[in-house]
Amino acid sequence: SVCEGCQGVISDRFLLRLNDSLWHERCVQCASCQEPLQTTCFYRDKKLYCKLDYEKLFAVKCAGCLEAIAPSELVMRAQKSVYHLRCFCCCVCERRLQKGDEFVLKEGQLLCKGDY
């Protein structure tokens, strides 16, 4: 058996199976911070990550506040941008835009119809 992490032969007494690949126990660490992963891990592009680093690197970020958007959150979309509901606001009058409101997205800034 070959370890997915280091590509070395696994001759240890114990090994771990993650996403149909085998790992040495010592190789199960975050690819970003190198901390050992003991209870949970996130897997992407054949690399393991802790929750914090996975969210920093791969989570969808709100175009308004630049914070991560949880998969369960409701969002508003404008072209390729995604926003928290609370961040989908006109940049001039700060009025929260609702579904059906007319707006313009100009140079990454949301503008309600009146302020445009």
Side-chain angles (χ1 to χ4, degrees), residues 1-5 10 15-18 20-24:
S1 300
V2 176
C3 175
E4 185 74 28
I10 301 174
L15 57 88
L16 296 171
R17 180 181 300 274
L18 300 166
D20 297 325
S21 57
L22 303 173
W23 295 73
H24 289 112

Side-chain angles (χ1 to χ4, degrees), residues 8 37 50 59 73 84-85 91:
L37 301 170
C50 64
E73 282 187 84
H84 293 110
L85 294 179
C91 67

Side-chain angles (χ1 to χ4, degrees), residues 5 15 21 27 31-32 35 39 45 47 51-52 54 56 63 68 79 83-84 88 92 98 104 107 110 114:
L15 57 88
S21 57
C27 293
S32 186
E35 285 295 314
T39 56
D45 302 327
K47 293 180 182 174
K51 182 178 182 179
L52 182 65
Y54 185 85
K56 273 194 247 176
Q79 295 175 349
Y83 296 83
H84 293 110
F88 198 69
V92 176
Q98 303 291 323
V104 174
E107 298 174 11
L110 286 170

Side-chain angles (χ1 to χ4, degrees), residues 88-104:
F88 198 69
C89 300
C90 174
C91 67
V92 176
C93 68
E94 298 181 1
R95 182 175 66 87
R96 193 168 137 208
L97 301 167
Q98 303 291 323
K99 184 177 177 181
D101 286 348
E102 292 185 52
F103 66 90
V104 174

